[in-house]
Amino acid sequence: MATVRTSIHGYWSSRFVFVLAAAGSAVGLGNIWKFPYIAGENGGGAFVLLYLLCIALFGIPVMMSEVLLGRRGRSSPVNTMTTLAAEEKRTKAWRLLGVLGVLAGFLILSYYSVIAGWALAYVVETATGTFSGVTGEKAGEVFTNLISNPQRLLFWHTVFIVLTMLVVVRGVSGGLEKAVRILMPALFILIIIMIGYAMLNGNFMEGLKFLFTPDFSKLNPEVVLKAMGQAFFSLSLGMGAIMMYGSYLPDDASIATTSFQVAMADTLVAILAGLAIFPIVFANGLEASQGPGLIFNTLPLAFGQMSGGLLFGTIFFILLVFAAWTSAISLIEPAVAWLIERFSISRFISSMICGVVVWVIGLGTVYSFNSWEKIEVFNGTFLENKSFFDLLDYLTSNIMLPLGGLLICIFAAWSMTEKSRREELKIKHEGAYKVWRFLARYITPIGVILIFLHVLGILEKLNLVT
Ligand code: TRP
């Protein structure tokens, strides 16, 4: 039986729009804020290499699997999994995969929005000239003042959630398409200009060396886990966002080509962001491993010193907000679509409910940077010194997303019939199909499980690794 299902939420107007929307989802704070800071925290080169490996071996197969399931199910991840499990005569429990995704989406967006709020606050700071001729110390102060003030964080978090829900209310094929078309290329050009600046004024060689000379002594199981988590996070995989976007994909579009394009674009932006930031870090004697404040402490120095930096810096932070915006929408769309399907409520009501829930969870992150920096109940455990934000980020990126991705691959490459798989993927090139199936069947599931076991120390106990 060919799929005759239709999406009640609409369709992309073309294959190209899907690529734009999926790239809009993938390219976000994960590339520009998170990638540089965790690469910095985890020693640079070796982490970057692992990250790239994870993109190739897990990222692309999972992305293809997600789009495949989404397009075949044509509804929110929960209902897509329910429908497909029934069709393939598999257990109803597959539905939980969709539920896990919806949950991960809420949790991720709750802190994502707070960080996007920092970027919003920085639009104003930059535009009002705070950074003109700024020193490293002064830039650091501006950042500390922001994050130690819960009211300000709360204000910008609220603004960002409202912005996100405004687009979600209108549905995917409304404003989103148009925004992505212009803003993504603009962001890309700005990053290239930043690299130009970093080449002329930063310590570019040092930056290159840091990102691309692997120092394997820096590797440990935690670093491997983080590189994997970052690959999933950056590509928006493992929670149904791409599955949801796949459900709006026209029938004739090639899943393999589009997935590949999205993954390449995303990876490129992350690497370019690293190239723009680290030369400035080293030229100014800043700390590469300083954590989540990295870009907020680094980029203002460049904007403060370059001519036209006021205008340029303002545009940069505006575009960063847009990149975060198009990602945020995809984090909440699966939940919104599911509530609509489940309770037959309007898109408006569903968006309101989701927005409020995310906003409330976000309070935990707002206070993570000031009054509630550490959760005392965890003292004495391995979670000691972790804030609510650290915990959420760790749990979602490093555990929930890889677990989701693993299950998605298992369903697509094992549980579905060969016929369904081929029918939906429509890969003409037999070799390419086999490569995908091999990666999704063996490499991704086994790789993710081995990394989990490695972190738990189980491989060590079995004397499999030293
Ligand atoms: N990938 C986005 C970024 O890099 C964040 C994001 C959007 C995401 N949708 C997602 C992460 C789904 C995980 C899952 O900023």
Side-chain angles (χ1 to χ4, degrees), residues 6 13 51 76 85 105 108 117 119 131 141 166 179 182 204 209 227 270 272 275 286-287 294 343 348 374 455:
T6 50
S13 48
Y51 166 75
S76 70
I108 297 176
F131 299 121
E141 246 167 58
L166 278 179
I182 310 164
F204 199 69
K209 207 167 107 211
L272 292 179
L275 284 177
L286 302 177
E287 199 61 63
L294 183 66
F343 300 106
F348 180 76
K374 295 182 175 80
V455 174

Side-chain angles (χ1 to χ4, degrees), residues 156-217:
W156 291 115
H157 165 58
T158 311
V159 172
F160 189 77
I161 292 285
V162 171
L163 285 175
T164 304
M165 296 337 277
L166 278 179
V167 177
V168 175
V169 165
R170 299 182 52 198
V172 279
S173 40
L176 178 59
E177 280 197 27
K178 287 189 204 81
V180 178
R181 238 173 238 261
I182 310 164
L183 297 167
M184 301 296 298
L187 180 67
F188 189 77
I189 294 168
L190 240 70
I191 296 176
I192 300 280
I193 300 177
M194 290 300 296
I195 295 179
Y197 175 84
M199 277 182 170
L200 295 174
N201 301 290
N203 193 339
F204 199 69
M205 287 328 283
E206 192 68 23
L208 270 185
K209 207 167 107 211
F210 183 73
L211 282 173
F212 298 113
T213 324
D215 171 359
F216 292 106
S217 70

Side-chain angles (χ1 to χ4, degrees), residues 131-394:
F131 299 121
S132 301
V134 82
T135 58
E137 204 180 328
K138 174 80 195 327
E141 246 167 58
V142 175
F143 182 68
T144 313
N145 284 343
L146 170 67
I147 63 167
S148 54
N149 185 336
Q151 280 86 17
R152 276 179 78 197
L153 296 184
L154 191 58
F155 173 75
W156 291 115
H157 165 58
T158 311
V159 172
F160 189 77
I161 292 285
V162 171
L163 285 175
T164 304
M165 296 337 277
L166 278 179
V167 177
V168 175
V169 165
R170 299 182 52 198
V172 279
S173 40
L176 178 59
E177 280 197 27
K178 287 189 204 81
V180 178
R181 238 173 238 261
I182 310 164
L183 297 167
M184 301 296 298
L187 180 67
F188 189 77
I189 294 168
L190 240 70
I191 296 176
I192 300 280
I193 300 177
M194 290 300 296
I195 295 179
Y197 175 84
M199 277 182 170
L200 295 174
N201 301 290
N203 193 339
F204 199 69
M205 287 328 283
E206 192 68 23
L208 270 185
K209 207 167 107 211
F210 183 73
L211 282 173
F212 298 113
T213 324
D215 171 359
F216 292 106
S217 70
K218 300 246 166 76
L219 288 187
N220 62 46
E222 277 288 316
V223 175
V224 180
L225 181 75
K226 286 182 187 157
M228 169 170 78
Q230 175 61 13
F232 279 93
F233 185 92
S234 189
L235 293 177
S236 301
L237 296 176
M239 57 74 59
I242 295 293
M243 202 188 283
M244 192 76 235
Y245 278 15
S247 78
Y248 308 141
L249 182 66
D251 275 316
D252 53 357
S254 155
I255 291 178
T257 316
T258 47
S259 300
F260 203 74
Q261 287 164 341
V262 173
M264 293 307 283
D266 186 73
T267 309
L268 188 65
V269 175
I271 297 290
L272 292 179
L275 284 177
I277 286 156
F278 285 109
I280 307 175
V281 170
F282 295 123
N284 292 281
L286 302 177
E287 199 61 63
S289 60
Q290 61 179 269
L294 183 66
I295 66 161
F296 296 95
N297 287 322
T298 308
L299 293 177
L301 286 180
F303 299 136
Q305 288 157 14
M306 64 171 77
S307 59
L310 190 94
L311 179 68
F312 192 67
T314 309
I315 299 178
F316 179 86
F317 282 113
I318 293 178
L319 290 175
L320 182 60
V321 168
F322 272 102
W325 199 358
T326 54
S327 300
I329 293 161
S330 74
L331 279 162
I332 202 64
E333 177 68 15
V336 170
W338 178 50
L339 287 187
I340 297 174
E341 292 162 7
R342 175 73 179 73
F343 300 106
S344 305
I345 50 178
S346 68
R347 197 167 248 281
F348 180 76
I349 303 285
S350 174
S351 305
M352 289 292 284
I353 297 172
C354 293
V356 169
V357 173
V358 171
W359 184 85
V360 172
I361 312 175
L363 297 180
T365 297
V366 163
Y367 290 103
S368 288
F369 297 98
N370 33 71
S371 27
W372 201 32
E373 275 183 314
K374 295 182 175 80
I375 310 178
E376 280 85 13
V377 283
F378 293 128
N379 283 355
T381 70
F382 77 105
L383 295 173
E384 187 159 343
N385 290 334
K386 284 210 190 306
S387 67
F388 183 76
F389 159 75
D390 297 327
L391 214 58
L392 264 192
D393 181 35
Y394 192 92

Side-chain angles (χ1 to χ4, degrees), residues 86-151:
E87 184 173 281
E88 304 288 340
K89 303 194 179 56
R90 301 290 164 178
T91 152
K92 279 204 185 94
W94 277 108
R95 166 175 195 282
L96 295 177
L97 171 55
V99 176
L100 177 79
V102 168
L103 190 66
F106 275 109
L107 297 180
I108 297 176
L109 184 56
S110 80
Y111 72 79
Y112 201 85
S113 161
V114 176
I115 312 293
W118 298 357
L120 275 167
Y122 266 59
V123 172
V124 178
E125 294 286 357
T126 319
T128 51
T130 306
F131 299 121
S132 301
V134 82
T135 58
E137 204 180 328
K138 174 80 195 327
E141 246 167 58
V142 175
F143 182 68
T144 313
N145 284 343
L146 170 67
I147 63 167
S148 54
N149 185 336
Q151 280 86 17

